[in-house]
Amino acid sequence: MQAYRINGLLIKVERCAADMYIVRNIPGVFDNQVAIGAIVHKELAQKFLDSYAVKSSDKTLDILDVDFEEKLPEGIRYCRGCVYWNGKGCEAGDKGAL
């Protein structure tokens, strides 16, 4: 998987509390909220990130899939901006988005 340094911040695909894949915190555009996701396939999330990052990244970094072993906790800090987040909890669960 690829990670990018965009405006000084490390941006990568992460696994959310609903066991889906997201990209969050793209500086200047999606500060502190989900930018891509929640989707079932990490490869699709990665392709969206790759496409966006081509125009705005300072540096490309290789990271390993082991980053997906631990899910992010659910909460506004991680879920803000996600289409499934309703402020009370995640509705995605097993809905199988994209």
Side-chain angles (χ1 to χ4, degrees):
M1 303 302 288
Q2 298 287 316
Y4 299 91
R5 190 162 308 283
I6 301 174
N7 295 337
L9 292 177
L10 181 67
I11 308 299
K12 62 183 180 177
V13 175
E14 299 176 271
R15 208 168 83 180
C16 74
D19 207 21
M20 295 185 177
Y21 298 94
I22 62 170
V23 176
R24 61 191 180 91
N25 295 336
I26 295 177
V29 180
F30 295 99
D31 293 323
N32 300 314
Q33 57 185 323
V34 173
I36 299 166
I39 55 179
V40 174
H41 303 289
K42 66 183 173 191
E43 292 82 9
L44 184 56
Q46 182 68 50
K47 286 181 189 260
F48 280 123
L49 176 57
D50 293 344
S51 177
Y52 178 83
V54 165
K55 299 176 184 173
S56 59
S57 68
D58 302 328
K59 188 173 188 178
T60 302
L61 308 164
D62 287 322
I63 57 174
L64 304 174
D65 283 345
V66 293
D67 290 331
F68 300 127
E69 288 182 0
E70 300 214 12
K71 295 186 278 187
L72 292 169
E74 186 177 326
I76 195 162
R77 177 177 169 201
Y78 300 103
C79 301
R80 188 170 162 254
C82 179
V83 296
Y84 293 110
W85 176 252
N86 62 14
K88 299 175 191 154
C90 182
E91 297 175 344
D94 296 319
K95 288 186 180 179
L98 282 182

